[in-house]
Amino acid sequence: MIRTIWIFIIISIILSLNFILLKLAPEFPPVTEEQKGIYYARQVADGYMTLRVVEDPDEVDEIQYKVANNLTLGECPKCYYRPDDPTNPQKYWVYEPVALSTQYFRWVGNVVTEWNWGLSTRVAVNTPVFDVLIGRNADGTFSGSSRIRTTMTLNLIALAFYIPIGFTLGIIAALNKNSWIDNAISFFVMVFISVPSFVVMTMLVMIFGFQLGWFPNQWPANDLGGAIQYTALVIPVLGLSFGAIAGLTRTTRAELTEVLTSEFVLLARTKGLTRRQAVIRHAMRNSMVPLVPGIIFSFVGLLSGSVIIERIYSIPGMGRIYLRAMTQGQYDYNLVLAITAFYTIIGLFAVLLVDLSYGIVDPRIRMGARR
Amino acid sequence: MDKNNTDRNLRPEDFEFVQAEKKLYDKKFETKPIGYFRDAMIRFGKNKTNVVATTILFAIIIGTILIPIFSNKNYELQESDLAFLPPRIPLIEQLGFLDGTSDKEGLPVDPSTIDPETGLGIPLGYYPEAIEMDTLENYEEECVDRNVLCKNGFNVLSVDAAATSVTIQSANFLQLDKNQNAFIRIVVEEFENADGAELNVWIKPEFAGDYELIGTIDEAGTFDFDPFELFPDLLFPIVSQIRLELTASSPQERVHLTSIEAYDDTQTDPIFKDSGFVLSQYQIIDGAGLYVRAKGEITMANFTYNDYTAKLGPTERLLPRSEYDAIIAENPQCVASPHPDTDNYPDGWVFPEGCPIMEVYSQTEPVIVGDVAYFSYDLVLNYQLYKGYEEMPYYYFGTDFNGRDLFTLLWVATRTSLLLGLVVAGINVSIGIVYGAVSGYYGGTVDLILQRITEVIGRIPWLVTLAIFVSFFGPGIQTLIFVLIVSGWIGPQSVTRTQFYRYKGREYVLASRTLGAKDGRLIFRHILPNGIGTIITASILTIPYTIFAESTISYLGFGVGHGQEFNIFGITFSGVSVGVLLSDGRNYLLNRPYLTIFPAILISILMITFNMFGNALRDAFNPSLRGSE
């Protein structure tokens, strides 16, 4: 229980830290005046800024002078001054940010009560960022290109692909310890643990996408139906899986070899079980204890690793839009915040899941049990 | 033989005392004593695979130091005229690959280059000298581009779904003379799905007048129109563009236009003929529709091309006078003699072999500014000598898009990656040791709090760290190092903490403490030296991890990049790392795979050997950890 609360505390610390630091960084609001109007109006409505109307001619002149000479940048870099008439202003709407602490609590309130993560500033200007991620149009319909879904689908397929292979290879290696099979598998593991995933992915695209041409060399457009939708999955799933397979094989092998030498396995053999029965019924279950958390963590690693895969293969997923939101000089903080929140929350829920899974896999470990 | 039945009749005299008189002393060891490090080295040497891996790793490290120093090729300047030379390696080139040639496929042939003897042509922009002529082949292909090389065929006109008519207009003017009995001929190949669709032909009989309808076509065939029959009052010749208007109810109704011609009595050939490509250049001026090219023919060429000959062979150039003078001053063997081809180049001169300038055709008109006359020479350079290569150079891994030698560049990049890995791992280990020491030594509440902090920081996804640092510092080396440090020190600190828990309760620590040693002395003089072996061996494994992360971040474009140069502790880094090279190569995966393959292979070998080396080192120093990776 304490553990669960602690994990929620970590999530909120990371997200708060992220919010506060990004708010302190230089801002990149939308570019055109029209878009700015909508954006700042929404900032005021969400409570991050205050709106003040300036009609006093002296003050108007002063603001006009400052805006024309870029003096506002030094004074109040995040303020926005909107004139009623750009050439001969009589009136200014001045948008000023409120104190950071107030902004922070407003933001927490907006997210918790309304699931309002703010508007995108550069990638999809003035669209609520969560709508960008799930592919919801302005009229509430879904465009069918949910970025979260694309990324999750890809990663879940990779998960379903690598777990059986990793297990099998690990078990084979452990049962044939020090034979040539074990050596071959260990060599494979060494190679794929060491080689960065973007190298593996680039080579896969080059060989199977370009040179042999068996699979598409990049992600097909969404509306392109037919077999290409499925063949396009092959390269990214392989690119995601190789490292994960290697990791899983290595842990499975290490755990299983350790368990296989324990006395209870010997006991199982002496009481007459075959080697197969002893391995499957006794050794496997015990070697699972550290493996389940390993798999859960590797899924998190897979998810953040898919940023690179998505970039190489032009997959319109979370990672790709994260990189777009991080284009130099075009930072889209609200979007970055929402995406990083997605990764943070998934990562920490995985930790929670790991803690809970210990109790299920190994009944000796109980959450919150006293010594 | 039964052992139990042997003769056991032994008498007491058969026995004697071993040491009745002698004293027994401890014997000296006949073998030499083995220290901890020596023992570790023996264990290390036993695993032959690891020894091989370590040798390769050190060969790479030495290579990164030596190769950039001894390389005579450019790896810093941008020389775009030497860009994209394919790999060429001595000896291996004799086997027929990595020989500096590349296979060019499917390039459109320039008709003016077609050799009357062989009937083969080459594409525009390729030097015939560099083409291996026995590999050259031409073939015809269907084309649908609006390309001047795409000949014959027809053009298909159709309306948009929402529109009912579309009009195209010729680019050229027709000139029809009444006295020569001129007429217009339009050839329609096919009228697809025509169901009431019509093609109207319009011309402007009077130059200042309006367009008039001169005929309508509703089926395939050849149609002649005589505008003078329709407008008998015309006195002057007609000078007009021609317009074709298609009226149709659906986009399925398409007309295939083959040619638009005009004839008169002066010659049997048409006086005006638009077909194929020229016909496809007609612009849609009214209505909405589609006008596309179909069934054209284009001649394509396949051949093997020697890029080295092409790029480093004789090259015609305009060279400014100052540069020309400098070359002549540097090369005393350059003695000019008059040009043998006096007909074409009466003012030209030639140089003997071995001079970077081969022949000079002429010089440009001088521009006089003040007292100085500025002019250039139109000349032919021996490009290889001009670039300073006595013989045709070998670019082992080819050149990149900036004309830099990929082989040398790759070693420079690996050096950057390695140094960055070392520096960042050093910082991480230092932070980790101090943090872990404090946490492990003091234990209790301090440990609890410090470990909670570690947990929070360790749980921050690297994407979050990256976002924060990029938004403050922008992409670059600063961001890169910070991102690597934020997540990197956690590992070393946990190893250190474990070591401190292991040793802090030992008797010698207690003894030292009772003698009055302070915490600092206990930590750094007593506990740390005992655990440092484990900490260091574990830390070596963070170097490949750091290189891994560095190359990934650089690959994504947030780390180092071209043109950057930076200085850490007096070591200058170039802005190129292996991740940057791979990122460059990504755009040329199809045609220039070598730009990706070589960096990929090198970083893979580096990572694999580094990991094996680290594992071997750990196994050697801590045999108890063997196997648990």
Side-chain angles (χ1 to χ4, degrees), chain B residues 89-132:
Chain B
I89 302 178
L91 300 178
I92 296 181
E93 67 174 337
Q94 321 242 318
L95 301 175
F97 61 99
L98 300 178
D99 55 356
T101 59
S102 51
D103 291 330
K104 308 281 179 193
E105 276 169 17
L107 292 164
V109 166
D110 177 16
S112 65
T113 61
I114 291 178
D115 184 350
E117 252 175 64
T118 57
L120 295 174
I122 58 170
L124 210 63
Y126 288 86
Y127 292 94
E129 299 84 36
I131 293 175
E132 292 183 4

Side-chain angles (χ1 to χ4, degrees), chain B residues 255-508:
Chain B
V255 58
H256 297 193
L257 291 169
T258 308
S259 71
I260 295 172
E261 298 157 17
Y263 291 88
D264 64 14
D265 291 344
T266 54
Q267 58 191 70
T268 47
D269 290 336
I271 53 167
F272 175 95
K273 185 173 181 184
D274 277 357
S275 66
F277 167 72
V278 188
L279 193 59
S280 79
Q281 291 306 98
Y282 283 26
Q283 295 294 320
I284 293 178
I285 53 152
D286 194 25
L290 214 57
Y291 187 50
V292 291
R293 191 119 169 64
K295 293 254 157 68
E297 284 165 4
I298 191 163
T299 312
M300 302 290 234
N302 288 348
F303 53 90
T304 304
Y305 194 60
N306 190 329
D307 293 85
Y308 281 73
T309 321
K311 287 191 168 144
L312 289 163
T315 312
E316 201 178 323
R317 257 299 167 83
L318 266 182
L319 207 63
R321 177 191 162 189
S322 52
E323 209 175 324
Y324 173 89
D325 290 346
I327 291 172
I328 298 297
E330 271 172 34
N331 297 281
Q333 74 272 29
C334 291
V335 183
S337 51
H339 204 291
D341 189 356
T342 43
D343 295 341
N344 287 328
Y345 311 111
D347 303 328
W349 59 92
V350 292
F351 287 102
E353 222 167 285
C355 178
I357 301 168
M358 294 168 80
E359 49 188 315
V360 179
Y361 293 149
S362 61
Q363 63 186 55
T364 56
E365 283 296 312
V367 177
I368 295 166
V369 180
D371 296 336
V372 193
Y374 292 93
F375 57 89
S376 298
Y377 294 99
D378 184 6
L379 43 70
V380 178
L381 284 173
N382 183 336
Y383 216 69
Q384 162 203 336
L385 287 173
Y386 174 68
K387 282 285 171 192
Y389 296 112
E390 288 292 320
E391 282 169 27
M392 194 61 97
Y394 284 96
Y395 288 104
Y396 302 128
F397 292 174
T399 56
D400 73 349
F401 67 101
N402 274 332
R404 294 173 301 189
D405 178 30
L406 187 66
F407 181 72
T408 322
L409 200 61
L410 188 53
W411 292 101
V412 174
T414 315
R415 185 178 66 186
T416 310
S417 292
L418 268 172
L419 277 175
L420 262 177
L422 274 175
V423 168
V424 172
I427 298 173
N428 282 338
V429 171
S430 315
I431 299 175
I433 283 180
V434 173
Y435 194 96
V438 170
S439 178
Y441 179 80
Y442 291 104
T445 322
V446 176
D447 185 38
L448 193 74
I449 293 169
L450 289 183
Q451 289 313 303
R452 288 321 102 193
I453 296 175
T454 316
E455 201 176 342
V456 172
I457 296 177
R459 292 277 173 232
I460 304 179
W462 65 274
L463 293 170
V464 175
T465 339
L466 188 67
I468 291 172
F469 285 112
V470 166
S471 59
F472 274 96
F473 304 114
I477 183 70
Q478 250 180 326
T479 303
L480 180 67
I481 289 181
F482 280 129
V483 170
L484 293 178
I485 287 174
V486 164
S487 56
W489 61 275
I490 308 268
Q493 77 83 27
S494 97
V495 176
T496 315
R497 177 169 166 268
T498 319
Q499 291 303 309
F500 268 75
Y501 265 104
R502 188 170 155 201
Y503 289 111
K504 74 173 180 184
R506 295 281 169 98
E507 288 82 358
Y508 67 87

Side-chain angles (χ1 to χ4, degrees), chain B residues 546-596:
Chain B
T546 316
I547 296 174
F548 191 113
E550 180 273 325
S551 59
T552 305
I553 295 174
S554 296
Y555 183 81
L556 288 177
F558 297 113
V560 291
H562 286 291
Q564 285 188 354
E565 209 167 73
F566 42 90
N567 217 306
I568 298 174
F569 309 135
I571 310 164
T572 309
F573 295 78
S574 73
V576 184
S577 79
V578 183
V580 177
L581 288 184
L582 280 165
S583 175
D584 291 345
R586 199 168 60 102
N587 300 329
Y588 311 103
L589 277 183
L590 178 57
N591 293 324
R592 304 177 209 288
Y594 61 90
L595 287 177
T596 300

Side-chain angles (χ1 to χ4, degrees), chain A residues 10-249:
Chain A
I10 300 183
I11 293 182
S12 52
I13 290 177
I14 294 177
L15 291 185
S16 310
L17 204 70
N18 199 1
F19 175 82
I20 291 167
L21 287 172
L22 289 184
K23 276 288 161 193
L24 287 174
E27 208 174 33
F28 294 90
V31 189
T32 65
E33 290 299 316
E34 195 191 342
Q35 290 169 342
K36 271 185 185 171
I38 300 171
Y39 173 73
Y40 282 107
R42 181 65 185 265
Q43 289 285 90
V44 173
D46 286 349
Y48 304 130
M49 291 186 126
T50 54
L51 175 61
R52 185 161 61 93
V53 184
V54 176
E55 283 176 296
D56 176 37
D58 293 342
E59 215 176 330
V60 167
D61 285 350
E62 195 189 327
I63 291 174
Q64 195 187 3
Y65 172 75
K66 280 183 186 166
V67 170
N69 293 300
N70 283 332
L71 291 175
T72 52
L73 290 176
E75 229 169 65
C76 174
K78 287 177 185 171
C79 292
Y80 172 57
Y81 305 88
R82 192 157 68 90
D84 55 346
D85 173 10
T87 47
N88 182 26
Q90 303 296 322
K91 188 160 109 175
Y92 264 104
W93 286 274
V94 181
Y95 296 81
E96 284 159 320
V98 298
L100 190 60
S101 53
T102 323
Q103 284 192 46
Y104 171 67
F105 289 113
R106 287 272 158 74
W107 176 70
V108 173
N110 284 337
V111 169
V112 172
T113 56
E114 297 168 34
W115 198 242
N116 172 4
W117 289 85
L119 296 179
S120 167
T121 55
R122 292 291 167 111
V123 173
V125 182
N126 288 340
T127 317
V129 290
F130 202 72
D131 289 358
V132 177
L133 297 186
I134 60 174
R136 182 161 57 194
N137 299 329
D139 52 4
T141 57
F142 288 88
S143 65
S145 61
S146 165
R147 290 174 183 275
I148 293 184
R149 202 179 59 202
T150 309
T151 299
M152 292 306 276
T153 313
L154 197 64
N155 281 284
L156 288 174
I157 292 174
L159 189 75
F161 178 72
Y162 86 78
I163 289 181
I165 295 182
F167 261 137
T168 319
L169 288 179
I171 294 169
I172 291 173
L175 293 183
N176 301 294
K177 196 162 188 277
N178 293 334
S179 70
W180 67 269
I181 303 178
D182 180 33
N183 289 339
I185 292 177
S186 299
F187 178 74
F188 161 83
V189 165
M190 199 49 177
V191 169
F192 282 103
I193 280 221
S194 305
V195 179
S197 63
F198 70 92
V199 175
V200 176
M201 186 66 191
T202 319
M203 296 305 273
L204 283 174
V205 173
M206 195 175 80
I207 295 169
F208 295 109
F210 284 110
Q211 307 295 338
L212 296 176
W214 292 354
F215 304 110
N217 54 40
Q218 61 170 337
W219 192 258
N222 242 342
D223 46 359
L224 216 64
I228 199 168
Q229 294 263 309
Y230 302 101
T231 52
L233 285 169
V234 175
I235 290 179
V237 166
L238 283 180
L240 280 168
S241 303
F242 272 124
I245 289 176
L248 188 59
T249 306

Side-chain angles (χ1 to χ4, degrees), chain B residues 28-34:
Chain B
K28 247 192 166 179
F29 283 123
E30 281 170 12
T31 49
K32 279 188 180 166
I34 295 175

